Amino acid sequence: MQSFRHSLSIAALLALSLAGCASSGLKEGRALLAAGQAEAGIERLRAGLAEEPGNIELKAYYHTQRERLTGDLLLQAQQELDATRFDVAEALLQKVLVLHPENPRAHTQLANLATMRQHQQTLQAANQALSAGRLDEAAQVAHLILAQAPGHAGAQTLLRQIQALRTPDELSTRELGAATRKPITLEFRDASLRNVFDMIARQSGINFVFDKDVRLDLKATLFARNTPIADAIDMLLMTGQLAKKVVNANTLLIYPDQPQKNKTYQELLVKSFYLGNADPKTTMAMLRTLIKAKDLYVDERLNLLVMRDTPDAIRLAEKIVAVQDLAEPEVMLEVEVLEIKRGRLLDLGVQYPNQFSLLNTVTNQTATSSTVGAPVVTTNTTLSPLPLTVDKLRHITGADITMNTPQLNLKKEDSDVNLLANPRIRVKNREKAKIHIGDKVPVITSNTTSTGVISESVSYLDVGLKLDVEPSVLMHHDVQIKMGLEVSNIVREIRSSSGTLTYQIGTRNAGTTLRLKDGETQVLAGLISDEDRSTASRVPGLGDLPLVGRLFSSQRDERSKTEIVLLITPRVLRNDATRQPALTEFRGGTENAIGGGLAAPFVPATAAAPQTALPAAPQSDPPAGDGSVPDDASIPPAPQIPPLPAAGS
């Protein structure tokens, strides 16, 4: 027995010593972490866990602190990598591996660190190429970086910069050089298009490329004196039903002005309209009607409208959308409702009894037993209304008749009640707004089924002030308001035979349409309820006597008057200021050329019906002193190639 006790003591001492060691490792590790020595604290906890792998508390604390510290270091390392401070990031990742040598994220980032440094050097070279204007080279490098690291922020930023620099060139239409603005004089009558274009090419230096379907043997008549070369070319194209496409600064492609050729040669643009206020489907229908646009797409999630059309149609669509995509006007309605109630009550006179009752005395005797055995007789006397029988009426005495005591009424009341509601509500243009100030009165309805089951339902009735308004903002800061006013109150309660409680509601309604200026106040009054009641209770005969009759009567005069006054003031918060002709009127082109065309149309000439030459301007000298110059001094001589054929030849 003693040996067994000795063994238990040794086992207990061994367990206490081991627990002391484990507690010492946990305590020292916590102290080191609290002192800011993360590596030493985690190492001490790891050593204590190796000594006591079964200590659950030590194991949980070790893993929790290790994950917390490594998570903070990895977050800092990622921030340093995003800021391209690779040396600092590498040092932080090495600390992570000291705390957690098996951390996969730290190993991955260290393995990619060399690639990130190479990308940074390549990106610097791409930025230098961008600064030198070599956009294609910079874009190629950015795409190469994104192919290896799709989320590289620097490469994405570089691509956005390149796109911003390319956008003006992509959106701008090709135009002829400044030499085409020089004036030229052309006079041709029934000349072939080949000779005309040849003459213009020699005079201006413009290269012409013709579509295979252009008939250069057609005749053209053109008289353009002192006209810019570009305008003269447009005139010639209109007379021959031709169209042009600018290839470069000194080259034009000429093709027939036909729908199929326009589809082949006209360049299209894609424009995205992010609408802030307009409905995209309504805008799409409008553009299809006005511009005849076909390639339209609507994204209702983003309130986006995408259009693909010619540059002229895109420019016209921008103007139309700018006019339509406007914020709806808003109005702040300041409402004041005043209910003026006056009451007068006068109750004066003597109220005499107007009825009497006959009572019957009923005596009841009850016998009960006592403790000593002798019966005890108890007598109860009650008074009950006497039944009206002839036998009972023969023995009526004064003690059997009761009546009310006369009352003297001396009462006068004056009451003035003012109820004011001053709500303010903000509402959008052509939207309805409601104001309710009052109570919801419950109304209980009972329903009995065929089986006799009674069920009750509760509905609520609005009682008080109800105001419905619908404003419409017009031009010149006018506001049109459709208004409906209802004032209701509970007159009395009505209880049915089954116990259901209902109410009698008194209402006053007014509905109108107003047109007010911004800030103008309109007063609506006249909803008057005037009630006058007079009640008299008199003793027959005596109450009708003059003067003395007031002693034998009671007079009650009651008068109440209620008036509702409504004041409403609209204040326009956001008005549509763009409805002006200068902003809503612009050129829309022709029926066949949306958004394009010349300002003044020209009549085309045909080979079957040649036009006659315009009469020449008079060559006489101007009057002295007017400062004008003769025509032959300002216009160069007409070209002599090809020679003009004689009229009618």
Side-chain angles (χ1 to χ4, degrees):
M1 186 67 179
Q2 292 181 354
S3 61
F4 178 71
R5 291 179 179 177
H6 182 68
S7 300
L8 289 177
S9 300
I10 294 175
L13 291 175
L14 181 60
L16 290 175
S17 62
L18 292 176
C21 293
S23 300
S24 176
L26 180 61
K27 183 177 180 180
E28 293 177 1
R30 284 179 175 175
L32 291 173
L33 291 176
Q37 302 178 15
E39 293 84 353
I42 293 297
E43 183 62 28
R44 184 65 185 92
L45 292 174
R46 187 184 295 115
L49 189 60
E51 297 171 358
E52 186 67 22
N55 193 326
I56 303 300
E57 181 182 2
L58 177 59
K59 181 182 295 185
Y61 185 76
Y62 165 71
H63 287 288
T64 302
Q65 295 301 317
R66 187 185 66 175
E67 294 300 325
R68 181 182 65 83
L69 293 174
T70 55
D72 294 342
L73 290 175
L74 287 173
L75 179 61
Q76 296 177 14
Q78 186 62 47
Q79 294 175 354
E80 298 297 334
L81 289 174
D82 295 338
T84 66
R85 292 189 287 268
F86 299 109
D87 294 338
V88 180
E90 185 178 5
L92 292 173
L93 293 175
Q94 293 294 343
K95 288 184 179 180
V96 172
L97 293 179
V98 171
L99 298 176
H100 189 187
E102 302 85 10
N103 190 282
R105 185 177 174 185
H107 283 289
T108 302
Q109 290 187 350
L110 280 176
N112 295 334
L113 194 59
T115 305
M116 293 180 184
R117 285 176 172 153
Q118 182 180 0
H119 287 169
Q120 184 63 24
Q121 296 176 358
T122 308
L123 187 63
Q124 292 178 358
N127 286 324
Q128 294 177 359
L130 178 64
S131 302
R134 301 191 299 273
L135 302 183
D136 295 337
E137 179 182 348
Q140 184 178 2
V141 173
H143 285 297
L144 179 61
I145 295 175
L146 290 176
Q148 299 177 1
H152 198 281
Q156 293 177 350
T157 303
L158 179 61
L159 278 182
R160 286 194 293 268
Q161 294 176 355
I162 295 172
Q163 184 63 31
L165 293 175
R166 284 177 172 176
T167 298
D169 295 335
E170 293 178 354
L171 297 181
S172 61
T173 58
R174 298 187 183 94
E175 296 181 355
L176 294 173
T180 59
R181 306 310 304 171
K182 296 187 301 182
I184 189 175
T185 298
L186 300 175
E187 294 183 0
F188 294 97
R189 184 187 301 115
D190 294 338
S192 64
L193 288 177
R194 185 186 305 276
N195 293 334
V196 177
F197 280 113
D198 182 66
M199 183 61 193
I200 295 175
R202 283 187 288 172
Q203 291 287 334
S204 62
I206 298 177
N207 302 320
F208 293 100
V209 180
F210 298 95
D211 182 81
K212 64 182 181 62
D213 294 330
V214 175
R215 295 183 58 187
L216 297 177
D217 57 343
L218 293 178
K219 303 297 182 180
T221 299
L222 177 63
F223 297 92
R225 305 184 64 186
N226 199 23
T227 303
I229 297 175
D231 294 344
I233 294 174
D234 291 336
M235 296 177 190
L236 182 61
L237 296 177
M238 293 182 66
T239 60
Q241 297 182 354
L242 300 174
K244 68 179 180 180
K245 177 181 180 181
V246 180
V247 180
N248 51 44
N250 61 345
T251 304
L252 284 178
L253 171 64
I254 308 299
Y255 59 91
D257 191 5
Q258 299 172 358
Q260 188 62 34
K261 294 296 182 179
N262 289 330
K263 291 181 180 180
T264 303
Y265 291 113
Q266 279 188 345
E267 294 184 358
L268 303 180
L269 293 180
V270 177
K271 176 69 176 181
S272 299
F273 297 96
Y274 288 92
L275 304 177
N277 305 281
D279 180 62
K281 290 187 176 180
T282 304
T283 306
M284 179 177 64
M286 180 184 63
L287 294 179
R288 282 181 174 172
T289 302
L290 298 179
I291 308 181
K292 306 299 187 294
K294 297 181 180 179
D295 297 338
L296 293 172
Y297 176 78
V298 168
D299 188 347
E300 295 183 0
R301 181 179 61 88
L302 299 176
N303 213 37
L304 170 67
L305 174 65
V306 182
M307 177 180 177
R308 180 174 178 265
D309 214 314
T310 62
D312 290 337
I314 293 292
R315 300 288 87 80
L316 182 59
E318 289 177 348
K319 296 179 181 179
I320 295 176
V321 171
V323 172
Q324 186 202 24
D325 189 23
L326 300 175
E328 284 283 346
E330 294 187 40
V331 182
M332 175 72 76
L333 296 177
E334 299 178 358
V335 182
E336 295 185 15
V337 182
L338 179 64
E339 182 179 4
I340 305 172
K341 185 175 183 180
R342 297 184 179 90
R344 300 291 184 268
L345 174 64
L346 179 61
D347 192 357
L348 183 61
V350 180
Q351 181 117 17
Y352 289 94
N354 53 12
Q355 63 181 359
F356 65 91
S357 301
L358 299 179
L359 298 178
N360 184 23
T361 303
V362 180
T363 303
N364 297 323
Q365 293 183 353
T366 304
T368 58
S369 60
S370 62
T371 55
V372 297
V376 177
V377 179
T378 303
T379 303
N380 296 326
T381 303
T382 60
L383 297 177
S384 62
L386 185 65
L388 294 179
T389 62
V390 177
D391 186 59
K392 296 294 184 182
L393 292 176
R394 294 175 183 176
H395 306 287
I396 292 177
T397 62
D400 297 329
I401 302 174
T402 62
M403 63 178 60
N404 298 332
T405 304
Q407 296 180 357
L408 178 63
N409 296 328
L410 298 174
K411 184 177 181 181
K412 182 179 181 182
E413 291 183 356
D414 291 338
S415 62
D416 291 330
V417 180
N418 295 332
L419 300 179
L420 177 64
N422 186 18
R424 296 186 179 186
I425 187 169
R426 182 170 178 171
V427 58
K428 195 168 67 171
N429 185 36
R430 303 182 187 278
E431 295 290 339
K432 294 182 180 180
K434 295 183 179 181
I435 301 174
H436 178 216
I437 302 174
D439 301 319
K440 286 185 174 292
V441 179
V443 178
I444 301 176
T445 305
S446 299
N447 298 321
T448 304
T449 62
S450 59
T451 59
V453 179
I454 300 175
S455 61
E456 293 183 348
S457 61
V458 181
S459 60
Y460 292 90
L461 183 65
D462 293 333
V463 177
L465 170 67
K466 294 174 65 177
L467 180 64
D468 297 338
V469 291
E470 183 179 350
S472 299
V473 180
L474 308 176
M475 297 292 293
H476 310 296
H477 290 270
D478 285 356
V479 182
Q480 178 176 299
I481 306 174
K482 293 181 181 179
M483 186 188 65
L485 175 65
E486 177 182 342
V487 180
S488 59
N489 62 309
I490 299 177
V491 177
R492 64 190 181 96
E493 297 180 352
I494 302 175
R495 189 176 296 276
S496 64
S497 58
S498 61
T500 302
L501 182 63
T502 58
Y503 302 93
Q504 179 181 348
I505 307 297
T507 61
R508 277 163 287 174
N509 302 306
T512 184
T513 301
L514 308 175
R515 180 164 179 166
L516 305 175
K517 287 285 187 182
D518 183 17
E520 181 182 358
T521 301
Q522 177 64 41
V523 179
L524 299 177
L527 295 176
I528 301 175
S529 173
D530 196 350
E531 185 177 0
D532 195 351
R533 295 183 180 182
S534 180
T535 305
S537 178
R538 299 185 179 91
V539 177
L542 297 177
D544 297 331
L545 296 176
L547 298 178
V548 183
R550 296 290 292 182
L551 299 176
F552 300 95
S553 64
S554 176
Q555 186 80 18
R556 181 183 178 91
D557 298 328
E558 184 177 359
R559 183 175 183 181
S560 62
K561 183 177 182 180
T562 305
E563 181 178 4
I564 303 296
V565 179
L566 172 67
L567 294 87
I568 184 168
T569 305
R571 301 194 182 277
V572 180
L573 301 181
R574 182 188 293 116
N575 196 5
D576 188 359
T578 62
R579 298 177 181 174
Q580 302 175 7
L583 300 177
T584 57
E585 295 180 4
F586 39 82
R587 296 186 181 276
T590 63
E591 184 69 20
N592 295 328
I594 300 297
L598 296 175
F602 291 87
V603 180
T606 61
Q611 294 182 357
T612 58
L614 297 177
Q619 301 297 325
S620 58
D621 295 334
D626 62 353
S628 61
V629 181
D631 292 341
D632 54 0
S634 58
I635 301 176
Q640 301 299 323
I641 301 176
L644 294 177
S649 59

